[in-house]
Amino acid sequence: MGENVDFRRWDELIPDALGLIFKNLPLQEILTVVPGVCKLWRKAVTGPYCWQDIDIEQWSQQCRPETLDRMLQMLITRSSGSLRKLCVTGLANDQSFSLIADNAKSLQTLRLPRSEISDSIVEQVAGRLFSVTFLDVSYCRNIRAPALEAIGKNCKLLMGLRRTMHPLEVIDKLSQDDEAFAIATTMPKLKQLEVAYLLISTEAVLKILENCPELELLDVRGCWNVKLDENCIKKFTRLKVVGPHVVDYFGMKGCDDCSNYSGSSGYLAWDFVAGNVGSDYDDEISDGDWEDDQSMEDVEMRFYDGFDLDNAAFDWPLSP
C-alpha cells in the first residue's frame, strides 16, 4: 500500500456512523461490551442509530415478561422516535403495546407474534400506527375482528398482514369469518395476506379477493373450509394462493417486511408447489445462551447505576 493512504481513526468517527456499524453486532455485545470501550462508543450505542431496527424476537422467546418490558422500554427510548422496525415475541400486557404505539411515528414493520394484547388496547392506539406497512399478529389469541378492523381503518399504508394461528388455538371456535370480513372491508391495499389455520369460509375469502385487488400472495394453508377452483383464481392474474392443503412445515414465517416491497417479483424465490419454503430465521441475530435476567440487570447497572466512563482508563490507541 502507498505511503499516502489516510486511515481514519475509530475515535474520529461521528456517533451516527459508529451506530450504523454497531447495529450489525449481536444484541448482547451492543448492550454489554461496546459501551465499555470508550465514551465515544458508549454515546453511539445509546443514540438512536443503533435502534432504528430492533429485532429481539428470538431473545424474547426465552425471557420473563418483566424483563422483556424493561428491555423494550430501554431500547425504544434510545430510538428517540426513529424506530422503523420492531420484532418481538410474547408481549405480556397492553402497556407494552401502548408504549410501542407512542413511539411509532416512523414505524413501518411491526411483528408481535404470540402477544397477549387485547382488542380494547388495539382500538385505543391504532391511530398512532398510521405509518405501519407490515404487521404480524400471528398466534395473538386475545384479539379478534374489532382489533383487525381498527388496524385497517387507521393503518392506511398497510400492504402485508400475517394473522396465522395454531390449529389448537382455534379448536373451540365455530367461525372466524368476522376477521376475514374486517380485513376485506378495511385493508384494500394488501399485497400479502397470511391467514393460515383461521376458520374461514370460501365466501369470506372471495370477499377479500374482491376488495383487495392488489393482493399477490394469499396463504390459506389449513383453512379447510375454503374451496377455490381454478376458474375463480384465474380472474386474479397477479395472485398466488398457498393452501388450503399444507405442503410445507408449519410455522414458516413467510415473506417479510412489505415496507421494502418491490413488486410482483417479491415472491419468485418461493416454490410453493414443491413445498420448498425458505425461512428467514437463518438471517436473524442469535445471541446464544444469554441469560436474560442476569444480563438485563448488568445492562441496567451499566447504563443507569453509575457506569462511569468519565473516569475510566480507556485511552487506548484505537487506530490501526
PDB file of all heavy atoms in Angstrom, residues 268-285:
ATOM      1  N   LEU A 268     -40.927 -14.586  -6.234  1.00  0.00           N
ATOM      2  CA  LEU A 268     -40.438 -15.534  -7.229  1.00  0.00           C
ATOM      3  C   LEU A 268     -39.508 -16.576  -6.648  1.00  0.00           C
ATOM      4  O   LEU A 268     -39.357 -17.648  -7.209  1.00  0.00           O
ATOM      5  CB  LEU A 268     -39.724 -14.770  -8.354  1.00  0.00           C
ATOM      6  CG  LEU A 268     -40.627 -13.873  -9.215  1.00  0.00           C
ATOM      7  CD1 LEU A 268     -39.799 -13.211 -10.295  1.00  0.00           C
ATOM      8  CD2 LEU A 268     -41.777 -14.667  -9.829  1.00  0.00           C
ATOM      9  N   ALA A 269     -38.872 -16.281  -5.519  1.00  0.00           N
ATOM     10  CA  ALA A 269     -37.935 -17.237  -4.934  1.00  0.00           C
ATOM     11  C   ALA A 269     -38.643 -18.341  -4.174  1.00  0.00           C
ATOM     12  O   ALA A 269     -38.014 -19.258  -3.678  1.00  0.00           O
ATOM     13  CB  ALA A 269     -36.971 -16.514  -3.989  1.00  0.00           C
ATOM     14  N   TRP A 270     -39.953 -18.283  -4.099  1.00  0.00           N
ATOM     15  CA  TRP A 270     -40.721 -19.252  -3.313  1.00  0.00           C
ATOM     16  C   TRP A 270     -41.265 -20.340  -4.218  1.00  0.00           C
ATOM     17  O   TRP A 270     -41.971 -20.064  -5.174  1.00  0.00           O
ATOM     18  CB  TRP A 270     -41.881 -18.543  -2.629  1.00  0.00           C
ATOM     19  CG  TRP A 270     -41.466 -17.625  -1.555  1.00  0.00           C
ATOM     20  CD1 TRP A 270     -40.455 -16.709  -1.577  1.00  0.00           C
ATOM     21  CD2 TRP A 270     -42.047 -17.516  -0.275  1.00  0.00           C
ATOM     22  NE1 TRP A 270     -40.389 -16.046  -0.398  1.00  0.00           N
ATOM     23  CE2 TRP A 270     -41.347 -16.519   0.408  1.00  0.00           C
ATOM     24  CE3 TRP A 270     -43.107 -18.167   0.363  1.00  0.00           C
ATOM     25  CZ2 TRP A 270     -41.663 -16.150   1.713  1.00  0.00           C
ATOM     26  CZ3 TRP A 270     -43.430 -17.799   1.651  1.00  0.00           C
ATOM     27  CH2 TRP A 270     -42.711 -16.806   2.312  1.00  0.00           C
ATOM     28  N   ASP A 271     -40.984 -21.581  -3.906  1.00  0.00           N
ATOM     29  CA  ASP A 271     -41.525 -22.698  -4.673  1.00  0.00           C
ATOM     30  C   ASP A 271     -42.646 -23.319  -3.858  1.00  0.00           C
ATOM     31  O   ASP A 271     -42.460 -24.303  -3.152  1.00  0.00           O
ATOM     32  CB  ASP A 271     -40.429 -23.727  -4.958  1.00  0.00           C
ATOM     33  CG  ASP A 271     -40.932 -24.822  -5.890  1.00  0.00           C
ATOM     34  OD1 ASP A 271     -42.122 -24.820  -6.252  1.00  0.00           O
ATOM     35  OD2 ASP A 271     -40.119 -25.688  -6.239  1.00  0.00           O
ATOM     36  N   PHE A 272     -43.828 -22.726  -3.935  1.00  0.00           N
ATOM     37  CA  PHE A 272     -44.927 -23.200  -3.109  1.00  0.00           C
ATOM     38  C   PHE A 272     -45.403 -24.588  -3.519  1.00  0.00           C
ATOM     39  O   PHE A 272     -45.795 -25.388  -2.688  1.00  0.00           O
ATOM     40  CB  PHE A 272     -46.105 -22.230  -3.204  1.00  0.00           C
ATOM     41  CG  PHE A 272     -45.830 -20.910  -2.567  1.00  0.00           C
ATOM     42  CD1 PHE A 272     -45.789 -19.756  -3.317  1.00  0.00           C
ATOM     43  CD2 PHE A 272     -45.598 -20.830  -1.214  1.00  0.00           C
ATOM     44  CE1 PHE A 272     -45.538 -18.542  -2.729  1.00  0.00           C
ATOM     45  CE2 PHE A 272     -45.345 -19.613  -0.616  1.00  0.00           C
ATOM     46  CZ  PHE A 272     -45.318 -18.467  -1.367  1.00  0.00           C
ATOM     47  N   VAL A 273     -45.393 -24.852  -4.807  1.00  0.00           N
ATOM     48  CA  VAL A 273     -45.936 -26.119  -5.281  1.00  0.00           C
ATOM     49  C   VAL A 273     -45.148 -27.286  -4.717  1.00  0.00           C
ATOM     50  O   VAL A 273     -45.697 -28.280  -4.258  1.00  0.00           O
ATOM     51  CB  VAL A 273     -45.933 -26.153  -6.823  1.00  0.00           C
ATOM     52  CG1 VAL A 273     -46.415 -27.496  -7.314  1.00  0.00           C
ATOM     53  CG2 VAL A 273     -46.800 -25.026  -7.369  1.00  0.00           C
ATOM     54  N   ALA A 274     -43.832 -27.177  -4.746  1.00  0.00           N
ATOM     55  CA  ALA A 274     -42.988 -28.255  -4.237  1.00  0.00           C
ATOM     56  C   ALA A 274     -42.845 -28.210  -2.722  1.00  0.00           C
ATOM     57  O   ALA A 274     -42.305 -29.128  -2.138  1.00  0.00           O
ATOM     58  CB  ALA A 274     -41.603 -28.167  -4.877  1.00  0.00           C
ATOM     59  N   GLY A 275     -43.304 -27.132  -2.125  1.00  0.00           N
ATOM     60  CA  GLY A 275     -43.193 -27.042  -0.675  1.00  0.00           C
ATOM     61  C   GLY A 275     -41.824 -26.604  -0.209  1.00  0.00           C
ATOM     62  O   GLY A 275     -41.469 -26.768   0.944  1.00  0.00           O
ATOM     63  N   ASN A 276     -41.027 -26.053  -1.108  1.00  0.00           N
ATOM     64  CA  ASN A 276     -39.696 -25.566  -0.750  1.00  0.00           C
ATOM     65  C   ASN A 276     -39.801 -24.134  -0.286  1.00  0.00           C
ATOM     66  O   ASN A 276     -39.773 -23.226  -1.087  1.00  0.00           O
ATOM     67  CB  ASN A 276     -38.774 -25.617  -1.970  1.00  0.00           C
ATOM     68  CG  ASN A 276     -37.897 -26.826  -1.924  1.00  0.00           C
ATOM     69  OD1 ASN A 276     -37.716 -27.403  -0.874  1.00  0.00           O
ATOM     70  ND2 ASN A 276     -37.369 -27.207  -3.080  1.00  0.00           N
ATOM     71  N   VAL A 277     -39.949 -23.934   0.999  1.00  0.00           N
ATOM     72  CA  VAL A 277     -40.126 -22.593   1.506  1.00  0.00           C
ATOM     73  C   VAL A 277     -38.960 -22.229   2.388  1.00  0.00           C
ATOM     74  O   VAL A 277     -38.643 -22.921   3.347  1.00  0.00           O
ATOM     75  CB  VAL A 277     -41.432 -22.483   2.315  1.00  0.00           C
ATOM     76  CG1 VAL A 277     -41.627 -21.062   2.807  1.00  0.00           C
ATOM     77  CG2 VAL A 277     -42.611 -22.915   1.454  1.00  0.00           C
ATOM     78  N   GLY A 278     -38.294 -21.114   2.054  1.00  0.00           N
ATOM     79  CA  GLY A 278     -37.167 -20.669   2.848  1.00  0.00           C
ATOM     80  C   GLY A 278     -37.616 -19.984   4.111  1.00  0.00           C
ATOM     81  O   GLY A 278     -38.672 -19.374   4.156  1.00  0.00           O
ATOM     82  N   SER A 279     -36.807 -20.078   5.155  1.00  0.00           N
ATOM     83  CA  SER A 279     -37.105 -19.389   6.409  1.00  0.00           C
ATOM     84  C   SER A 279     -36.101 -18.274   6.609  1.00  0.00           C
ATOM     85  O   SER A 279     -34.935 -18.408   6.288  1.00  0.00           O
ATOM     86  CB  SER A 279     -37.008 -20.367   7.572  1.00  0.00           C
ATOM     87  OG  SER A 279     -37.088 -19.686   8.799  1.00  0.00           O
ATOM     88  N   ASP A 280     -36.582 -17.139   7.154  1.00  0.00           N
ATOM     89  CA  ASP A 280     -35.656 -16.040   7.402  1.00  0.00           C
ATOM     90  C   ASP A 280     -35.043 -16.135   8.785  1.00  0.00           C
ATOM     91  O   ASP A 280     -34.401 -15.223   9.244  1.00  0.00           O
ATOM     92  CB  ASP A 280     -36.346 -14.688   7.208  1.00  0.00           C
ATOM     93  CG  ASP A 280     -37.548 -14.494   8.105  1.00  0.00           C
ATOM     94  OD1 ASP A 280     -37.882 -15.403   8.875  1.00  0.00           O
ATOM     95  OD2 ASP A 280     -38.153 -13.416   8.014  1.00  0.00           O
ATOM     96  N   TYR A 281     -35.249 -17.277   9.467  1.00  0.00           N
ATOM     97  CA  TYR A 281     -34.631 -17.434  10.778  1.00  0.00           C
ATOM     98  C   TYR A 281     -33.114 -17.418  10.673  1.00  0.00           C
ATOM     99  O   TYR A 281     -32.427 -16.947  11.567  1.00  0.00           O
ATOM    100  CB  TYR A 281     -35.064 -18.758  11.424  1.00  0.00           C
ATOM    101  CG  TYR A 281     -36.311 -18.647  12.251  1.00  0.00           C
ATOM    102  CD1 TYR A 281     -37.464 -19.331  11.876  1.00  0.00           C
ATOM    103  CD2 TYR A 281     -36.351 -17.857  13.389  1.00  0.00           C
ATOM    104  CE1 TYR A 281     -38.613 -19.238  12.630  1.00  0.00           C
ATOM    105  CE2 TYR A 281     -37.509 -17.754  14.144  1.00  0.00           C
ATOM    106  CZ  TYR A 281     -38.638 -18.455  13.761  1.00  0.00           C
ATOM    107  OH  TYR A 281     -39.777 -18.343  14.509  1.00  0.00           O
ATOM    108  N   ASP A 282     -32.573 -17.921   9.573  1.00  0.00           N
ATOM    109  CA  ASP A 282     -31.126 -18.005   9.455  1.00  0.00           C
ATOM    110  C   ASP A 282     -30.478 -16.635   9.409  1.00  0.00           C
ATOM    111  O   ASP A 282     -29.303 -16.485   9.728  1.00  0.00           O
ATOM    112  CB  ASP A 282     -30.741 -18.783   8.184  1.00  0.00           C
ATOM    113  CG  ASP A 282     -31.147 -20.239   8.277  1.00  0.00           C
ATOM    114  OD1 ASP A 282     -31.311 -20.727   9.404  1.00  0.00           O
ATOM    115  OD2 ASP A 282     -31.302 -20.864   7.221  1.00  0.00           O
ATOM    116  N   ASP A 283     -31.254 -15.630   8.995  1.00  0.00           N
ATOM    117  CA  ASP A 283     -30.696 -14.290   8.862  1.00  0.00           C
ATOM    118  C   ASP A 283     -30.800 -13.474  10.138  1.00  0.00           C
ATOM    119  O   ASP A 283     -30.291 -12.370  10.212  1.00  0.00           O
ATOM    120  CB  ASP A 283     -31.418 -13.534   7.737  1.00  0.00           C
ATOM    121  CG  ASP A 283     -31.200 -14.201   6.403  1.00  0.00           C
ATOM    122  OD1 ASP A 283     -30.115 -14.790   6.232  1.00  0.00           O
ATOM    123  OD2 ASP A 283     -32.092 -14.144   5.554  1.00  0.00           O
ATOM    124  N   GLU A 284     -31.495 -14.029  11.146  1.00  0.00           N
ATOM    125  CA  GLU A 284     -31.688 -13.257  12.358  1.00  0.00           C
ATOM    126  C   GLU A 284     -30.477 -13.372  13.274  1.00  0.00           C
ATOM    127  O   GLU A 284     -29.732 -14.343  13.250  1.00  0.00           O
ATOM    128  CB  GLU A 284     -32.934 -13.750  13.102  1.00  0.00           C
ATOM    129  CG  GLU A 284     -34.213 -13.451  12.334  1.00  0.00           C
ATOM    130  CD  GLU A 284     -35.437 -13.892  13.106  1.00  0.00           C
ATOM    131  OE1 GLU A 284     -35.265 -14.509  14.163  1.00  0.00           O
ATOM    132  OE2 GLU A 284     -36.556 -13.612  12.646  1.00  0.00           O
ATOM    133  N   ILE A 285     -30.313 -12.384  14.109  1.00  0.00           N
ATOM    134  CA  ILE A 285     -29.209 -12.386  15.062  1.00  0.00           C
ATOM    135  C   ILE A 285     -29.479 -13.393  16.164  1.00  0.00           C
ATOM    136  O   ILE A 285     -30.549 -13.412  16.740  1.00  0.00           O
ATOM    137  CB  ILE A 285     -29.030 -10.987  15.670  1.00  0.00           C
ATOM    138  CG1 ILE A 285     -28.568 -10.026  14.581  1.00  0.00           C
ATOM    139  CG2 ILE A 285     -28.050 -11.000  16.825  1.00  0.00           C
ATOM    140  CD1 ILE A 285     -28.508  -8.587  15.039  1.00  0.00           C
TER     141      ILE A 285
END
